[in-house]
Amino acid sequence: MRTRFVLIQTSHAGNVGAAARAMKTMGFGDLVLVAPRWANVLRREETIQRASGALDVLANARIVETLDEALDGITHLCATAMISRDFGPPTRTPRAHLEPLAKGDDQHVAFLFGSERFGMRNEDVYRCNVALSIPADPNFGSLNLGAAIQLIAYEWRLALGGFEVRDATPAQPSADAQAVAGMLAHWERSLVEIGFLDPAAPKKLMPRLQQLFNRAQPTPEEIHILRGIAKAMVDPHRPAPQAEPAAPAGDGGAL
């Protein structure tokens, strides 16, 4: 689906940069500004700094004088409103509205954001299909413009299918049953030797440990560590590793 973010009468240049960054992180790049306070807002230093790498979004952004120009080719309009209105389009949370929208017919969707001080004008909200309201704390629901755009962009990307989260940590195979059994036998001998386990009245200590390690699914490396611990338990007087000798006085610790 084609997606456009429309900022109406934006007064702070930094918010334009923040909007570009929020859009880029979610894979969107169509930004239109309607009558912003600064005619050169896309080139202002604060805008560029807040964009933080989303300069391509700024380079492709357009400035227009009217909302009609900004909505050229758009078929579904989403206003953003902190306060519900007693007249106009229905007010819904982003997720409730966007999930079914993403599954429907191909649409050209625009998200409209009003000025920082006054939000959207009623007449602009009335022409929209829905008013999206972020479910914030009712006692303090005022979001920064960049934050609001980030949340809407995230919810729309999520509805469209989202991006894959790549786990950089490689999956580790679990130790086999024989390795776990050998480790538990080692622990049982050590626990008896240190007096923690009474072999005459073992109760359910070892079965409970068995269940614990079954749930944990330790890797072969972790089994090796656990056996090392069992070995150290019964040999508390093993000499500690020797620290490296201190550097002779006066040589500055040079190698």
Side-chain angles (χ1 to χ4, degrees), residues 141-219:
S142 178
L143 279 82
N144 172 271
L145 178 58
I149 293 171
Q150 185 72 81
L151 286 170
I152 295 294
Y154 168 75
E155 289 289 346
W156 184 225
R157 176 53 63 192
L158 197 65
L160 292 173
F163 292 121
E164 178 186 2
V165 176
R166 299 177 181 179
D167 189 356
T169 304
Q172 297 291 327
S174 299
D176 60 30
Q178 184 178 11
V180 174
M183 179 272 296
L184 282 169
H186 192 167
W187 267 67
E188 183 173 15
R189 293 192 299 272
S190 296
L191 291 173
V192 169
E193 190 163 343
I194 65 174
F196 187 85
L197 173 62
D198 181 358
K203 298 184 180 180
K204 294 183 179 179
L205 176 60
M206 296 313 299
R208 290 186 186 279
L209 288 177
Q210 174 82 67
Q211 292 301 305
L212 185 155
F213 289 115
N214 284 348
R215 292 194 301 272
Q217 294 185 321
T219 65

Side-chain angles (χ1 to χ4, degrees), residues 52-105:
S52 187
L55 300 182
D56 54 336
V57 177
L58 293 181
N60 294 323
R62 295 181 290 121
I63 296 178
V64 297
E65 290 300 318
T66 67
L67 184 56
D68 282 333
E69 295 174 85
L71 299 181
D72 180 43
I74 297 297
T75 60
H76 190 90
L77 307 183
C78 299
T80 52
M82 182 182 71
I83 301 174
S84 300
R85 289 163 168 80
D86 57 4
F87 179 79
T91 300
R92 299 194 179 107
T93 64
R95 192 163 300 183
H97 183 72
L98 298 179
E99 284 186 350
L101 178 63
K103 297 174 183 176
D105 295 333

